[in-house]
Amino acid sequence: MTLFTIIRKENEDLERQVNRLNSTATFSKVTGRWIFILALLCSTLVNAQRDIPLDPDIKYEIADIKVTGTSTYNENTVIVFTGLRVGERISLPGTKVSNVIKKLWSLELFSDINLYVTAVNGDKVDLQLDIKEVPELNEVRFKGIKQKKGSSFIKDNGLNKGAKVTENLETTTTNYIENSYKKKGFLNSKVFINTVPAADTIGKNKVNMIVNVDKGERVKVKEINFNGREKLQEGKLLGSMKNTKEKKIWRLWKRSKFIKADYEEDKVAIINKYKEKGYRDARVVSDSIIKNNDQSITVEINIEEGRRYYIGDIDFIGNSVYTDEQLSRQLGLKKGDVYNGVLLQERIKDDTDPDADNIANLYQNSGYLFSNVNPVETSVQNDTINFEVRITEGKLAYFNKVTVKGNDKTKDKVIYRELLTKPGQRYSKKAVVGTIRELGQLGFFDAQQLTPNFNNFDPVGGTVDLEYNVVEQGASQIELQGGFGGGGFVGTLGLSFNNFSIQNIFNKDAYNPLPMGDGQKFSLRAQASQFFQTYSASLTDPWFGGKQPVQFSTSFSHTIQYLFTGITTGSASDRVDRNSKFLITGGSVGLSKRLKWPDRNFSLSHAISFQHFDLQNYNTGLFTFGDGASENLAYTIGLSRRELYGGLIFPTSGSDISLTAKLTLPYSAWNGVDYKGLAIERDEAIADGLSSTGKTVGEIDQERFNWLEYYKVKFTGKWYTPLVGKFVLQSGVEFGWLGAYNQDRGVPPFERFFLGGDGLGGFSLDGREIVRLRGYPNQSVTPIDRGAILQSTGQANDGATIYNKFSLELRYPITFSPQASIYALTFAEAGSSYDNFRDYNPFQLSRSAGAGIRIFMPAFGLLGLDFGYGFDPIPGTTGANGWETHFIIGQQF
């Protein structure tokens, strides 16, 4: 690099710092014969020799320039930056010198700047620029808080090693830390910064920064007093203040703390409460904060309530698309109603709710993007306000270009087929909001960062461009589950590729590390314990054929289950008889179609499944034919509706409802078997060991269940309701019923419901439904007679034919980031299971409550930890079950 290049590069570095810094210069004390001070420019010129005269009328030629005092910047670099050069003629003192000083001060790189005249020879002068550099930061130490907490302050304020320690840096750092604590309710927080010289081997001016933090005690709000209040109850006003609360023992969710910004929002909420009740002119006249001796504060709010108003005439001006009657019905307010300013604004236009049912959205959803709806008070007569709703409809708008930005792995076709907005289609705000919801439900993108951007508005041509910005998140997951169920530890390892590309499976160039981007889901799963092994694979294509939203799915599985010996002590091998096996092999094929009626959130699904059950020396109370086989050919039909806002990880509103029915053929209607006679023979065999025809119970049951015959109905519903702040309430209901066409043939020993625990999969794929009920051991909430057997023998229970469950879960998001999404929850659940409808009692339930946390990581799926307390005994025992810990890794939503 040439000298010129070096000087130019350093000069550019200095220029960049000039552009970055904006501060005023400070005065410098110097000695000399001539002192020139410009108040606004803060410049100083000094004659170093008292006996050298300077004539202000002469322009002196610069004979030599020297720079002293700097160890960081090259002397020539500084000279070039000042703009002074040898041979140049300047006035001393003069504007040129003043500008040089000002330019150097603006860098905030120097703590002292002096320009000396060291020699005068006729009209030639020698100049010396003496500068003192601002010290560099060596390290930062915090006192009064933990260094770990201080690390975040270092990052936020740029307190990195080598940073220039200016007065501005110290001031902004002090203010930032104090305000950070004040936002948390520490109103008396104080920060003091000291700098001490730090030793440096090369002689640089370096300092250590000592940050003393005294956050003080958190300031509590002892009282909130409303002066001038007469019309509304104090409790209503206090309730309207969502952030600033009085200190109360029973207040758990919203702690009492004073934050200035939140308090200002609460004052607006107070006035809105008055407006809701008709007091349009209400205002906060003044307010004050009084510090109490106990370090708490009292908030005094002086209110002027004004009179109560009522709605008079409401006239619509400028409307042609909708009639006055239609708009009046949409508005929902009529003459004589109490004036409600908040409700009026919401019915006209509510920017906080894109799905709001109001007049503005009525136009927006009909294509009138450029419409404007504005309510205007035209007159006030006594206590009655007359309104005009002035409407500018504008021209119908159409989507011109619709594009997607941000997808690197997901192919464009996977996204575009989900869009409800197409080029040339009439504009609809509802379609834009619906598209955001559809993309969020795919699971490929961060739902919190999905945003639509409108570009190139053309009110004359009636067009607009729409761009969807997506942020991809990890679509592939490693599924790890661990828990205790069925008498032992159950472990699961699975690979789930949620954005798979089956068509590129033989394309080696598409592996990065796997062929991705077509929106298909491919899963491999292995589950095992000392009692069983299960292997399964599945493939799902949500747009089978690529033309319509018809989902195709197929799966295959194989399970080996071993018999539990009943021995609970000794080695693990003593507890399992590996010569007694239950082999299950099966598969399924299904189609699911998205419906257009009643709305496009409905889906209708169909599936055909087959399972072959092979029992080898496997004799239990439920499976009496220890050496035999059963076949299970079934058809499943399901109707579901899913409409979730906020994504799958943390839905903020919406619902997810499904109703399914699994049916086999009614073989008993035509196979000619006398099942009533078999039932009589079975009773005889139970009583005497053999029936009158010489058959055992196992032989009779083998004939009863060679081809399974049953129907199975299940309903699940989840609703998500936004509450105060970021809290979301999930309420759920579940019901399942397994029945028989022929009561003499009976309900088969398969396809049953197992209630209790964390919901981990059981140790067979015999169609069983594993239903989560926290606060109880896995699969322990069983009909009471089998529950007693479970507790006494330790054997797995036989499940139930009917169950119901009710749940409430209050969720609160902690953070949403590409690395991890975290939310906390509390829950209350209740459920029970039954052998038949004769015993069914939906109010006799096993209840539980507790708290937990969920962490979603793209690579591992959903991780969870729950602590649940069972208020009722496990069937067959006495006393509350007590606390249970449920730990899950990879369990889905």
Side-chain angles (χ1 to χ4, degrees):
M1 183 179 295
T2 66
L3 178 61
F4 173 77
T5 306
I6 295 172
I7 294 175
R8 184 177 60 186
K9 182 177 185 302
E10 293 179 342
N11 188 31
E12 289 173 352
D13 291 340
L14 291 173
E15 288 285 2
R16 279 195 292 270
Q17 296 182 68
V18 171
N19 294 331
R20 187 175 65 250
L21 300 171
N22 182 19
S23 62
T24 59
T26 60
F27 288 99
S28 174
K29 290 185 178 181
V30 296
T31 61
R33 186 170 182 178
W34 297 95
I35 301 176
F36 178 73
I37 302 176
L38 295 177
L40 296 176
L41 300 179
C42 303
S43 60
T44 304
L45 175 66
V46 181
N47 186 347
Q49 300 182 23
R50 295 181 178 274
D51 56 350
I52 300 177
L54 288 175
D55 190 339
D57 295 327
I58 297 177
K59 283 196 172 184
Y60 292 92
E61 179 184 342
I62 301 176
D64 185 39
I65 306 174
K66 294 186 180 298
V67 178
T68 59
T70 177
S71 60
T72 302
Y73 300 104
N74 180 277
E75 180 179 2
N76 290 332
T77 301
V78 177
I79 295 173
V80 170
F81 182 74
T82 63
L84 298 174
R85 65 183 185 277
V86 174
E88 179 183 5
R89 288 190 176 274
I90 60 174
S91 297
L92 295 174
T95 304
K96 178 74 172 181
V97 174
S98 300
N99 289 336
V100 168
I101 303 298
K102 177 186 176 184
K103 194 175 183 180
L104 291 172
W105 273 123
S106 68
L107 292 176
E108 271 199 346
L109 299 175
F110 310 112
S111 60
D112 197 8
I113 302 171
N114 297 305
L115 183 61
Y116 298 98
V117 176
T118 58
V120 177
N121 187 8
D123 63 348
K124 295 182 179 182
V125 295
D126 294 340
L127 301 180
Q128 178 179 320
L129 181 63
D130 187 29
I131 58 179
K132 183 179 180 181
E133 295 181 9
V134 170
E136 290 185 1
L137 182 61
N138 182 52
E139 67 175 4
V140 183
R141 294 196 296 269
F142 287 87
K143 293 185 178 180
I145 61 173
K146 294 181 179 179
Q147 191 68 25
K148 184 177 181 180
K149 176 61 178 175
S151 298
S152 63
F153 292 138
I154 291 175
K155 180 180 179 181
D156 295 340
N157 291 275
L159 303 179
N160 304 313
K161 191 170 184 177
K164 296 296 183 180
V165 184
T166 64
E167 182 180 348
N168 182 58
L169 178 66
E170 294 184 19
T171 301
T172 55
T173 300
T174 298
N175 293 337
Y176 181 88
I177 297 176
E178 287 183 353
N179 290 332
S180 296
Y181 282 106
K182 286 178 181 178
K183 289 179 180 179
K184 298 177 182 179
F186 298 93
L187 298 187
N188 299 320
S189 62
K190 296 294 181 184
V191 175
F192 304 94
I193 295 180
N194 298 320
T195 57
V196 295
D200 186 69
T201 57
I202 61 175
K204 276 192 174 184
N205 184 13
K206 291 190 176 183
V207 295
N208 295 328
M209 181 180 289
I210 312 299
V211 183
N212 296 278
V213 180
D214 179 12
K215 65 181 182 180
E217 295 294 327
R218 192 189 300 271
V219 176
K220 304 290 186 179
V221 180
K222 187 175 183 179
E223 287 184 298
I224 302 176
N225 297 322
F226 300 97
N227 303 316
R229 177 198 59 81
E230 294 179 357
K231 308 297 176 58
L232 296 186
Q233 295 178 355
E234 185 181 72
K236 290 187 178 296
L237 298 183
L238 289 173
S240 69
M241 302 177 72
K242 303 301 182 183
N243 303 299
T244 311
K245 300 290 186 181
E246 291 180 331
K247 181 180 179 181
K248 302 294 182 183
I249 297 176
W250 59 83
R251 179 166 289 113
L252 300 176
W253 296 114
K254 181 66 69 173
R255 292 183 296 177
S256 171
K257 57 185 178 181
F258 184 87
I259 299 173
K260 181 67 174 177
D262 291 343
Y263 171 63
E264 294 298 327
E265 290 182 6
D266 285 337
K267 287 197 295 184
V268 175
I270 292 170
I271 300 307
N272 285 338
K273 178 60 67 175
Y274 272 101
K275 288 183 178 180
E276 290 176 3
K277 302 301 181 182
Y279 298 94
R280 183 199 64 168
D281 299 332
R283 65 191 183 99
V284 174
V285 178
S286 62
D287 62 306
S288 58
I289 308 299
I290 302 172
K291 293 185 178 180
N292 303 317
N293 294 330
D294 60 356
Q295 299 300 314
S296 67
I297 62 173
T298 297
V299 180
E300 297 283 343
I301 302 177
N302 301 314
I303 296 174
E304 184 179 286
E305 295 179 318
R307 67 188 302 176
R308 195 176 200 183
Y309 289 89
Y310 298 85
I311 294 176
D313 295 326
I314 302 177
D315 297 322
F316 296 94
I317 307 297
N319 56 304
S320 62
V321 178
Y322 298 101
T323 66
D324 289 358
E325 290 76 14
Q326 289 174 313
L327 295 177
S328 182
R329 285 196 299 270
Q330 183 70 41
L331 185 61
L333 300 174
K334 62 182 183 298
K335 186 175 182 178
D337 287 348
V338 173
Y339 169 83
N340 187 332
V342 176
L343 181 60
L344 175 66
Q345 185 59 45
E346 290 177 352
R347 296 287 176 83
I348 296 293
K349 183 180 181 180
D350 185 2
D351 293 329
T352 64
D353 184 3
D355 283 330
D357 188 17
N358 53 45
I359 293 178
N361 279 349
L362 179 66
Y363 275 96
Q364 290 283 313
N365 293 330
S366 300
Y368 293 91
L369 169 64
F370 307 109
S371 62
N372 184 43
V373 185
N374 186 31
V376 177
E377 296 181 8
T378 56
S379 64
V380 179
Q381 299 174 353
N382 296 323
D383 62 352
T384 301
I385 305 174
N386 298 316
F387 292 92
E388 282 184 359
V389 180
R390 298 175 182 175
I391 301 171
T392 303
E393 294 178 332
K395 191 173 183 178
L396 271 173
Y398 296 84
F399 294 113
N400 182 30
K401 295 181 180 179
V402 180
T403 56
V404 178
K405 182 181 178 181
N407 56 308
D408 297 324
K409 294 182 180 179
T410 308
K411 295 180 181 178
D412 287 346
K413 67 176 184 179
V414 174
I415 302 176
Y416 282 103
R417 68 194 184 191
E418 300 291 340
L419 302 186
L420 306 180
T421 54
K422 309 290 184 182
Q425 177 181 311
R426 181 184 292 187
Y427 169 81
S428 169
K429 182 179 180 181
K430 184 177 182 180
V432 176
V433 175
T435 297
I436 295 296
R437 183 184 67 249
E438 294 292 335
L439 295 178
Q441 291 183 162
L442 288 177
F444 308 153
F445 312 111
D446 185 345
Q448 309 298 322
Q449 300 189 60
L450 281 169
T451 55
N453 292 330
F454 295 95
N455 304 309
N456 301 324
F457 291 92
D458 185 2
V460 177
T463 60
V464 65
D465 293 343
L466 176 58
E467 179 184 82
Y468 293 100
N469 285 312
V470 300
V471 177
E472 290 185 314
Q473 61 184 10
S476 300
Q477 297 175 5
I478 300 174
E479 180 186 7
L480 295 172
Q481 290 185 5
F484 287 88
F489 180 81
V490 179
T492 301
L493 172 63
L495 298 176
S496 180
F497 310 107
N498 295 334
N499 196 2
F500 195 67
S501 176
I502 191 68
Q503 69 182 31
N504 288 320
I505 196 168
F506 298 112
N507 180 6
K508 64 179 182 179
D509 295 331
Y511 282 77
N512 186 27
L514 291 167
M516 307 292 287
D518 277 335
Q520 297 152 347
K521 181 176 181 179
F522 178 58
S523 298
L524 296 171
R525 196 166 182 261
Q527 191 177 61
S529 75
Q530 66 185 63
F531 299 102
F532 75 96
Q533 300 171 15
T534 295
Y535 309 95
S536 63
S538 65
L539 173 66
T540 301
D541 186 349
W543 281 69
F544 185 58
K547 302 295 184 181
Q548 296 291 330
V550 176
Q551 178 176 290
F552 170 80
S553 60
T554 183
S555 64
F556 173 81
S557 64
H558 179 69
T559 295
I560 305 173
Q561 180 176 319
Y562 302 104
L563 184 65
F564 176 64
T565 62
I567 301 174
T568 57
T569 59
S571 65
S573 59
D574 294 334
R575 304 175 64 190
V576 178
D577 183 0
R578 296 191 175 272
N579 293 319
S580 300
K581 301 178 182 179
F582 182 10
L583 307 180
I584 309 165
T585 305
S588 67
V589 177
L591 290 174
S592 176
K593 180 177 176 58
R594 186 184 299 167
L595 304 179
K596 297 181 179 179
W597 185 90
D599 61 49
R600 70 186 314 275
N601 297 306
F602 279 88
S603 295
L604 180 65
S605 62
H606 309 267
I608 296 177
S609 60
F610 175 79
Q611 287 177 304
H612 172 70
F613 304 109
D614 182 14
L615 286 80
Q616 300 177 9
N617 192 31
Y618 195 90
N619 295 284
T620 68
L622 188 62
F623 299 109
T624 57
F625 48 104
D627 287 288
S630 290
E631 319 296 337
N632 183 11
L633 177 63
Y635 163 70
T636 302
I637 182 172
L639 181 66
S640 63
R641 185 182 188 277
R642 170 182 280 187
E643 185 180 20
L644 299 177
Y645 296 87
L648 296 177
I649 300 173
F650 189 85
T652 55
S653 63
S655 60
D656 191 356
I657 305 170
S658 67
L659 175 64
T660 61
K662 189 174 183 179
L663 314 166
T664 66
L665 295 172
Y667 302 105
S668 59
W670 64 71
N671 63 7
V673 177
D674 181 10
Y675 289 103
K676 185 174 183 179
L678 284 178
I680 295 174
E681 288 189 53
R682 192 175 192 280
D683 291 338
E684 294 173 348
I686 292 174
D688 302 327
L690 293 174
S691 69
S692 57
T693 59
K695 297 179 181 178
T696 64
V697 172
E699 292 172 333
I700 296 171
D701 285 346
Q702 172 67 91
E703 190 173 356
R704 290 170 64 209
F705 302 127
N706 55 351
W707 283 85
L708 302 185
E709 180 181 288
Y710 62 88
Y711 58 87
K712 185 178 185 180
V713 179
K714 187 177 180 183
F715 172 83
T716 61
K718 293 181 180 179
W719 294 266
Y720 299 88
T721 306
L723 301 179
V724 177
K726 297 181 180 180
F727 285 99
V728 175
L729 178 66
Q730 176 197 281
S731 51
V733 176
E734 295 183 38
F735 173 80
W737 175 28
L738 176 65
Y741 301 125
N742 188 323
Q743 297 304 316
D744 292 324
R745 191 175 192 184
V747 178
F750 306 94
E751 298 286 339
R752 297 181 177 237
F753 302 108
F754 293 77
L755 183 64
D758 50 29
L760 288 173
F763 47 84
S764 74
L765 292 180
D766 55 0
R768 65 179 58 195
E769 299 274 355
I770 308 299
V771 184
R772 180 174 66 174
L773 184 63
R774 291 164 286 189
Y776 298 92
N778 284 6
Q779 307 177 34
S780 63
V781 183
T782 61
I784 189 168
D785 54 341
R786 296 201 180 104
I789 296 174
L790 174 69
Q791 298 302 316
S792 61
T793 67
Q795 295 187 45
N797 65 74
D798 295 341
T801 61
I802 301 171
Y803 90 95
N804 55 223
K805 175 189 168 184
F806 309 94
S807 64
L808 291 173
E809 192 168 282
L810 185 63
R811 300 176 171 188
Y812 185 83
I814 298 175
T815 181
F816 290 111
S817 68
Q819 292 77 27
S821 298
I822 306 174
Y823 66 88
L825 60 90
T826 59
F827 66 86
E829 295 181 330
S832 190
S833 61
Y834 317 88
D835 268 337
N836 49 61
F837 265 117
R838 183 179 60 254
D839 301 328
Y840 180 70
N841 185 344
F843 303 105
Q844 190 173 14
L845 304 169
S846 296
R847 302 159 299 167
S848 66
I853 192 168
R854 295 290 182 272
I855 303 174
F856 178 82
M857 301 175 66
F860 294 96
L862 195 65
L863 318 181
L865 178 65
D866 290 326
F867 300 97
Y869 185 87
F871 296 102
D872 298 289
I874 298 173
T877 67
T878 58
N881 181 63
W883 287 102
E884 294 280 346
T885 301
H886 306 288
F887 178 65
I888 55 175
I889 307 179
Q891 191 168 7
Q892 297 305 306
F893 314 105

